[in-house]
Amino acid sequence: MKKIFFIISLLFLHSYICVAQTQSASRVEDIKIAYMNRELSLTPEEEQKFWPVYNNYFSEIKQARKDYANDEIGFEDKAVQIRKKYQGDFKRILSSDARVNKVFVSEKNLRDLFKKELQNRQRLRKEQNQIPKNRQIPNKPKSK
């Protein structure tokens, strides 16, 4: 009976963790879409054309990061090749070199914002977990 209860508990816990991760990834994706739409001033027609191209571009960048996980120079070289490859696609959608450049600049700025937010959260979590130095934990009295 205990084994069955344990297995059922694990299944519920697993599904809870999966849903939480999906919601978190979905929230990040929503923030990215809103940020890029605002930064690029995309019209509804441009949005429909832009996002499938951008998602392909982003998946190639992610794959390059995996392929060159231990080679930063190799990754940067591949990333430049991918950006050049998609530059024409973005220009057809956005109609100007300045807006195409803004895609890459906005992407970098968003990445920096996410990184800064993560660092702030880690710092706050670390501060909350530390015991103040001036507060000492009293010793337990010895049993007689």
Side-chain angles (χ1 to χ4, degrees):
M1 185 67 179
K2 287 182 181 182
K3 287 181 183 180
I4 293 173
F5 179 73
F6 180 72
I7 292 171
I8 291 172
S9 298
L10 281 178
L11 289 174
F12 282 121
L13 181 63
H14 175 36
S15 62
Y16 174 76
I17 290 170
C18 290
V19 168
Q21 289 175 346
T22 303
Q23 289 174 344
S24 177
S26 175
R27 181 166 161 79
V28 168
E29 189 68 22
D30 291 344
I31 291 169
K32 178 173 78 170
I33 290 170
Y35 181 85
M36 295 296 281
N37 285 344
R38 187 184 73 237
E39 288 294 306
L40 300 172
S41 303
L42 295 176
T43 66
E45 297 82 29
E46 289 173 333
E47 283 182 45
Q48 286 181 334
K49 296 175 185 173
F50 175 79
W51 284 105
V53 173
Y54 182 84
N55 290 335
N56 290 337
Y57 156 77
F58 191 73
S59 66
E60 284 192 38
I61 292 289
K62 279 177 39 178
Q63 185 60 46
R65 174 55 74 191
K66 288 179 187 175
D67 293 345
Y68 296 95
N70 298 321
D71 182 6
E72 188 63 25
I73 293 172
F75 166 72
E76 289 296 331
D77 186 44
K78 184 67 174 175
V80 168
Q81 291 173 13
I82 294 169
R83 287 183 186 111
K84 286 180 181 181
K85 174 182 167 184
Y86 281 91
Q87 186 176 16
D89 295 337
F90 288 139
K91 187 170 183 178
R92 278 191 292 281
I93 297 166
L94 302 175
S95 306
S96 79
D97 288 332
R99 288 181 77 198
V100 170
N101 188 50
K102 193 155 184 157
V103 169
F104 302 120
V105 171
S106 296
E107 179 186 41
K108 181 186 179 305
N109 291 342
L110 180 62
R111 196 171 46 247
D112 291 345
L113 284 172
F114 280 141
K115 189 176 186 179
K116 189 174 184 179
E117 178 66 22
L118 178 63
Q119 289 170 342
N120 285 338
R121 288 181 184 204
Q122 288 173 338
R123 181 184 50 81
L124 288 173
R125 192 174 300 127
K126 184 177 179 182
E127 288 173 1
Q128 289 173 349
N129 291 336
Q130 288 180 343
I131 297 175
K133 291 181 180 178
N134 60 357
R135 187 176 141 218
Q136 294 181 357
I137 299 174
N139 293 333
K140 290 183 181 179
K142 295 181 180 179
S143 304
K144 291 184 182 182

